[in-house]
Amino acid sequence: MKTLRVPKRRVPWNSNHEAVVWLMVVLLVVGMVNVFSSTFITAENENSAPYAYLLKHMVSMVIGFGLFAMSWRVDYHKWRDWLGPVTIGVGALLIFVLAAGTAVNGAKRWIYLGAFSFQPAEFAKICSVMIAAYALSYRVEHKLPVNIFNQQYGIIAGLFVLVEMEPDMGTACVILGIPLLMLWLAGLKSYKVYRLVLICVAAVGAMCLYQPYRLERIKVMFNPWSDAQGIGYQTVQSVTAIGSGGFWGMGLGQGLAKYAYLPEAHTDFAFAVFCQENGFMLVLPVLLLYAAFAYYAVRIARDAYDAYGQLLAGGIMLLVAGQAVVNIAMVAGCFPVVGVPLPFISYGGTSLMMTMFSVGVMVNIGRYSTAKRNRDKREALKKKNLQNQEAAPASRPGRPRLQRIK
């Protein structure tokens, strides 16, 4: 008799949400190595230990794992119930940072509490996604028309205005842009999509006219060498760093961009340092990791048990993958310079912690949907067995056996 061979698993996960966890962990390891490689020179110039930035990054990662574990276990429907107090708290922090925040490079974005600091705008990103998921899922479940003119999107617009006043146009566009993309996920009609695109283009144009340096950033994107020592400096240095890495890279820790040539080398432009030191040989696998993360996140959203879970998971996928696409395009000179970090890899405590928290919410959606569907299958199978037993014909009585006469 032939023995059946059980096929071996080629991946270390059994479900979509487990895949997301594994991919996040690998990207965090890549980020940890890149943070040390891109900051040890900066730390020494500040008379600190070479691993000072790495230690801060690891502290943020530990807190992020705590938030991830919490959001992984909390039923995602409860965030809908807590959305009112959370939104009020985020709005209060954004107002506080405008009134009493610490100004860095002419912008008030940070709140410092001794050695601890955080950026409230990062809280507003996931908050806006939750608000949009709540508003749109209600309309989808009650078969109401999907539109942007409602109270919840007015609140999101308020968060957008508060962040824009810091000013932080990149983060503000994420706060408003992801909920707008979620309208398309909820089934916004095509002609309304076109109108929405025109409105967004007009709004971006108005913001660029209000702050002329933004228009200059868009212009210089097409030819950064036209002002290589001015507004195009970061783009020129970033593209040069990427090109000098070639296929094999200069070697870990051997890149030159971090030697005060490239500003924000460990935050917004961390990917340029990674390209220079590791080359295309390792850049391609990282890009594939982000693509795989987006793929499994889409599967989680598709298989979610209800409309709220689908829209919330889809919004988180857009939040993480969208920031990755914008940051990589910015570093490569294909997008204007905006303050959008690369998820899991850029140095930045608040951004890292909120990203890990968001992934935990998405993992909970996957776990809940899988458990609910398995429970429904068991209930359906049990009901089917009971119906089969009731419908089965009664067995014929057998002929009585004669007792043996002793």
Side-chain angles (χ1 to χ4, degrees):
M1 180 178 178
K2 267 190 174 182
T3 57
L4 295 177
R5 293 183 179 179
V6 180
K8 295 182 179 179
R9 284 192 303 158
R10 297 184 179 180
V11 290
W13 50 76
N14 294 316
S15 60
N16 297 323
H17 56 269
E18 287 185 11
V20 165
V21 176
W22 278 98
L23 291 167
M24 180 188 73
V25 170
V26 174
L27 286 169
L28 285 172
V29 172
V30 173
M32 191 167 54
V33 174
N34 194 64
V35 164
F36 176 71
S37 180
S38 60
T39 59
F40 70 90
I41 295 297
T42 303
E44 289 182 350
N45 291 336
E46 295 174 353
N47 296 322
S48 301
Y51 44 81
Y53 281 89
L54 177 62
L55 289 177
K56 293 179 182 178
H57 185 76
M58 292 180 69
V59 169
S60 300
M61 192 184 302
V62 170
I63 298 174
F65 271 115
L67 293 172
F68 170 78
M70 182 267 292
S71 59
W72 180 3
R73 294 181 177 275
V74 174
D75 184 355
Y76 67 94
H77 294 98
K78 292 184 178 179
W79 297 111
R80 182 169 53 184
D81 301 331
W82 301 335
L83 198 52
V86 169
T87 304
I88 293 173
V90 171
L93 287 173
L94 291 175
I95 294 172
F96 180 82
V97 77
L98 288 174
T102 302
V104 179
N105 296 329
K108 288 186 176 181
R109 302 175 185 175
W110 296 88
I111 296 176
Y112 284 84
L113 300 174
F116 179 74
S117 62
F118 63 95
Q119 193 174 4
E122 294 294 334
F123 303 151
K125 290 180 181 178
I126 181 61
C127 183
S128 65
V129 171
M130 288 183 172
I131 294 172
Y134 168 72
L136 296 175
S137 63
Y138 179 85
R139 293 184 169 274
V140 170
E141 290 170 353
H142 292 80
K143 297 182 179 178
L144 298 173
V146 176
N147 60 67
I148 190 175
F149 301 103
N150 54 64
Q151 182 181 2
Q152 290 79 16
Y153 270 78
I155 296 172
I156 294 172
L159 297 176
F160 165 82
V161 171
L162 290 173
V163 175
E164 170 64 17
M165 290 173 64
E166 293 182 359
D168 189 355
M169 184 179 177
T171 303
C173 288
V174 172
I175 290 170
L176 184 59
I178 301 302
L180 292 180
L181 289 174
M182 291 171 66
L183 288 166
W184 176 73
L185 295 180
L188 187 67
K189 293 184 178 179
S190 299
Y191 72 93
K192 291 184 178 180
V193 173
Y194 299 142
R195 291 179 184 176
L196 185 60
V197 171
L198 292 176
I199 292 172
C200 291
V201 171
V204 170
M207 287 190 293
C208 290
L209 292 176
Y210 176 70
Q211 295 285 351
Y213 75 90
R214 294 170 176 170
L215 184 60
E216 293 299 321
R217 285 186 178 182
I218 295 175
K219 289 180 180 178
V220 83
M221 176 186 70
F222 298 99
N223 185 16
W225 282 268
S226 62
D227 191 10
Q229 296 300 318
I231 200 167
Y233 179 78
Q234 277 185 306
T235 302
V236 169
Q237 294 299 323
S238 176
V239 173
T240 302
I242 294 173
S244 62
F247 185 83
W248 301 105
M250 292 185 172
L252 189 63
Q254 303 300 315
L256 302 176
K258 57 178 173 284
Y259 287 87
Y261 292 105
L262 179 61
E264 309 297 336
H266 59 295
T267 54
D268 295 344
F269 285 83
F271 191 67
V273 176
F274 183 85
C275 292
Q276 186 178 49
E277 296 187 348
N278 299 282
F280 185 76
M281 176 184 63
L282 291 181
V283 168
L284 181 59
V286 170
L287 296 178
L288 293 176
L289 286 173
Y290 279 112
F293 182 93
Y295 170 76
Y296 284 105
V298 168
R299 289 173 64 95
I300 291 174
R302 181 198 64 185
D303 298 337
Y305 194 77
D306 54 6
Y308 178 64
Q310 290 177 342
L311 289 165
L312 183 55
I316 294 172
M317 181 278 295
L318 291 172
L319 181 63
V320 178
Q323 288 187 103
V325 170
V326 169
N327 181 274
I328 292 171
M330 176 189 72
V331 169
C334 302
F335 199 82
V337 176
V338 291
V340 176
L342 184 61
F344 309 119
I345 290 181
S346 290
Y347 175 83
T350 315
S351 174
L352 179 64
M353 290 185 287
M354 286 298 99
T355 302
M356 295 177 71
F357 168 82
S358 303
V359 174
V361 174
M362 183 167 60
V363 170
N364 180 264
I365 294 171
R367 292 179 66 224
Y368 178 89
S369 302
T370 301
K372 189 73 174 173
R373 283 192 168 82
N374 291 338
R375 194 180 306 117
D376 290 347
K377 287 180 182 179
R378 288 194 298 268
E379 292 294 331
L381 184 60
K382 185 178 179 180
K383 186 177 180 180
K384 185 177 180 180
N385 291 336
L386 289 174
Q387 290 175 350
N388 291 338
Q389 290 177 5
E390 292 174 358
S395 57
R396 289 185 304 171
R399 188 173 57 181
R401 293 182 61 184
L402 298 176
Q403 292 185 357
R404 191 172 180 181
I405 301 174
K406 294 183 180 179

